[in-house]
Amino acid sequence: MKVGVLALQGAVEPHAEALRDLGATPAPVRTPAQLAGVDALVVPGGESTTMSKLLDTSGLAGPLSDRLSSGMPAFGTCAGMIVLAREVLDGRADQRSYGAIDIAVRRNAFGRQVDSFEADLDVAGLEDSFHGVFIRAPFVEAVGPHVEVLAAVDGHPVLCRSGPVLVAAFHPELTPDRRVHRLFLEAGA
Amino acid sequence: MLKGGVIMDVVDPEQAKIAEDAGAVAVMALERVPSDIRRDGGVARMSDPEMIEGIKAVTTIPVMAKARIGHFVEAQILEALGVDYVDESEVLTPADEAHHIDKWAFTVPFVCGATNLGEALRRISEGACMIRSKGEAGTGNVVEAVRHLRSITGDIRKITQADGAELFEWAKRLQAPLPLIQEIHQTGKLPVPLFCAGGLAIPADAALAMQLGAEAVFVGSGIFKSDNPSARAKAIVEATTHFQDPSMLAKVSRGLGPAMPGLEIGSLDQTFADRGW
């Protein structure tokens, strides 16, 4: 499967490495033509306001919206979770999110850079805990009826799935454990 | 997560808004941009906390602030203010001529400048989480940034080709810890992200730094010392993303008005890049 990694800004290469480890073929996506050539898309961590602007200026906003509404599998981590959410709280007024998953996300919900943390997560469907790295992380404030919450921190959902769309508030690409990426590839296959 | 992004110097909340609106991934809050520090002379210190708080209040993106080299109390104050990153910066007047800050003693992550790989690895061994090639801040002249970036990435490439015995010699030559040299030999990259700073003024400069291997760029005086900061800031953000796409670079470079004037390195009374050890 050819899996695009949105390469406008953020942690692109670690995702590509995780995907290669699992036998998928990663491809950077910066243009509408590149988006048209992939079967699924990872939206990496980065700064969601920056990504939102670059999606507009690169002409990807419309095509991305279309692909997501026609059911393209997608995996958003950290800022990527914000980009894929239905609603962004504490975002900027002009910040766009794409409604691929029915959740409301609060930006920088766990605080500033110095409040970044790591935590062992109990993930539904995984036998052993998963070590999550949270950097200026968002969390989910509200989930729609068709969204499964797979993991939470202090009662706040941090890993959610809805059909072929998976979102994580943490950075599974920064640890060598590939199980969360596998969940995405399995959901999308 | 700053990779692939542009970090912009700002001196007040209004500039911080322009930077965020343009798509900056972070802002560097400081009292004077480097070109003004260069012009005014005197001792350049940490910014007034009130000014940093003013910038924090209007932005939703990370805020960085500069401490003087070796001035760990300025860094303590910046950490207490809740800035997201501290830049131990040669642009300010050094407070210690032998010691950099022991960055392991802090929770807040540090970015530090380097002109070569040895300097980068010494900063990493002191606890820096990010390295930026220094360039020559406040000149609008990219030549030093290119020199420093090429020096760092060139030596990394050579170390990946060295044999085990040669790694000891590399550690001696670079005055850097052997384990870090061995790690570079294995991975072919710095153990922390490598950014580029110092003299970038136009979108093509940002793309040049990215093509030379930088993972993000700092733009200081180049934006707010130009005629149209907002348009220039946006163009540099787009150039940093589409750094491999010349037709896109041509598009975003169009009609930005005059860039900052710029200085020849040979004409400088004071070079910032020499500060730090």
Side-chain angles (χ1 to χ4, degrees):
Chain A
M1 184 157 68
K2 192 165 173 187
V3 182
V5 183
L6 190 67
L8 298 175
Q9 190 266 317
V12 177
E13 185 46 36
H15 274 295
E17 204 176 304
L19 293 166
R20 272 193 292 271
D21 285 352
L22 295 171
T25 310
V29 170
R30 294 191 182 88
T31 64
Q34 289 169 336
L35 178 64
V38 300
D39 307 308
L41 186 70
V42 174
V43 184
E47 202 52 49
S48 61
T49 52
T50 304
M51 267 190 248
S52 167
K53 277 174 207 312
L54 286 164
L55 280 165
D56 285 334
T57 55
S58 61
L60 276 166
L64 176 60
S65 218
D66 294 346
R67 287 295 303 273
L68 289 170
S69 44
S70 60
M72 173 177 66
F75 179 25
T77 58
C78 197
M81 171 164 111
I82 296 171
V83 171
L84 294 177
R86 174 180 51 77
E87 188 186 355
V88 183
L89 307 165
D90 290 344
R92 287 168 50 91
D94 62 351
Q95 182 166 3
R96 195 200 287 231
S97 67
Y98 288 78
I101 182 165
D102 187 9
I103 55 172
V105 176
R106 187 170 298 281
R107 203 168 150 237
N108 300 335
F110 285 111
R112 302 187 73 95
Q113 191 76 28
V114 290
D115 305 311
S116 299
F117 63 100
E118 299 184 13
D120 287 320
L121 307 171
D122 289 322
V123 177
L126 298 186
E127 225 163 78
D128 302 317
S129 65
F130 188 94
H131 192 68
V133 177
F134 294 78
I135 304 174
R136 258 178 95 92
F139 62 59
V140 177
E141 287 263 335
V143 298
H146 302 296
V147 175
E148 301 167 78
V149 175
L150 302 180
V153 169
D154 300 335
H156 303 295
V158 294
L159 182 65
C160 296
R161 181 170 57 193
S162 174
V165 178
L166 182 70
V167 289
F170 52 97
H171 288 271
E173 77 283 7
L174 296 182
T175 46
D177 191 338
R178 299 308 187 209
R179 288 176 296 162
V180 170
H181 281 83
R182 187 173 291 130
L183 283 179
F184 159 60
L185 292 177
E186 283 166 0
Chain B
M1 195 52 72
L2 307 168
K3 283 186 186 177
V6 183
I7 300 132
M8 300 183 191
D9 280 0
V10 298
V11 300
D12 57 39
E14 194 186 329
Q15 289 188 354
K17 288 299 288 177
I18 293 172
E20 182 172 327
D21 288 347
V25 290
V27 291
M28 175 76 73
L30 73 179
E31 240 150 48
R32 293 173 289 168
V33 294
S35 64
D36 288 341
I37 293 175
R38 193 176 282 292
R39 187 199 58 207
D40 298 349
V43 173
R45 310 180 181 89
M46 174 189 86
S47 297
D48 186 326
E50 193 172 288
M51 172 269 183
I52 293 169
E53 277 167 348
I55 286 172
K56 270 180 65 195
V58 300
T59 55
T60 71
I61 56 177
V63 176
M64 300 186 181
K66 289 182 192 291
R68 281 178 270 177
I69 289 173
H71 205 313
F72 51 87
V73 174
E74 284 188 348
Q76 289 165 2
I77 293 169
L78 295 175
E79 181 170 65
L81 287 171
V83 304
D84 295 290
Y85 302 87
V86 173
D87 182 2
E88 186 182 16
S89 178
E90 70 283 358
V91 169
L92 306 184
T93 310
D96 190 319
E97 292 188 327
H99 309 93
H100 281 252
I101 296 170
D102 170 12
K103 292 162 276 286
W104 297 111
F106 291 79
T107 306
V108 65
F110 278 73
V111 57
C112 287
T115 58
N116 57 52
L117 184 57
E119 208 178 346
L121 295 180
R122 289 193 291 280
R123 297 297 83 80
I124 293 166
S125 70
E126 294 156 2
C129 295
M130 291 181 284
I131 293 295
R132 54 175 173 73
S133 56
K134 282 180 182 170
E136 193 53 48
T139 61
N141 187 339
V142 79
V143 66
E144 293 300 297
V146 168
R147 184 200 315 280
H148 300 155
L149 199 51
R150 276 197 182 277
S151 172
I152 292 168
T153 58
D155 278 354
I156 289 173
R157 279 188 288 273
K158 286 177 205 152
I159 286 171
T160 59
Q161 301 300 316
D163 74 15
E166 288 168 336
L167 296 181
F168 294 94
E169 208 276 319
W170 271 105
K172 277 183 283 185
R173 193 190 319 166
L174 295 179
Q175 300 176 53
L178 179 64
L180 290 179
I181 301 281
Q182 289 166 325
E183 186 177 340
I184 288 173
H185 178 65
Q186 292 287 324
T187 63
K189 56 188 174 80
L190 275 191
V192 304
L194 173 61
F195 298 169
C196 179
L200 282 58
I202 68 171
D205 292 344
L208 176 66
M210 295 295 287
Q211 287 201 26
L212 285 171
E215 296 175 274
V217 298
F218 287 78
V219 184
S221 323
I223 289 172
F224 290 101
K225 288 291 169 186
S226 74
D227 275 23
N228 189 345
S230 173
R232 184 164 297 270
K234 282 182 193 142
I236 291 176
V237 167
E238 287 188 62
T240 303
T241 291
H242 300 286
F243 68 96
Q244 292 163 310
D245 183 344
S247 57
M248 192 64 136
L249 295 175
K251 188 179 139 206
V252 305
S253 298
R254 236 170 241 142
L256 297 176
M260 72 176 282
L263 295 166
E264 274 287 355
I265 304 300
S267 71
L268 304 178
D269 297 330
Q270 165 82 64
T271 50
F272 295 152
D274 303 333
R275 297 164 162 181
W277 11 92

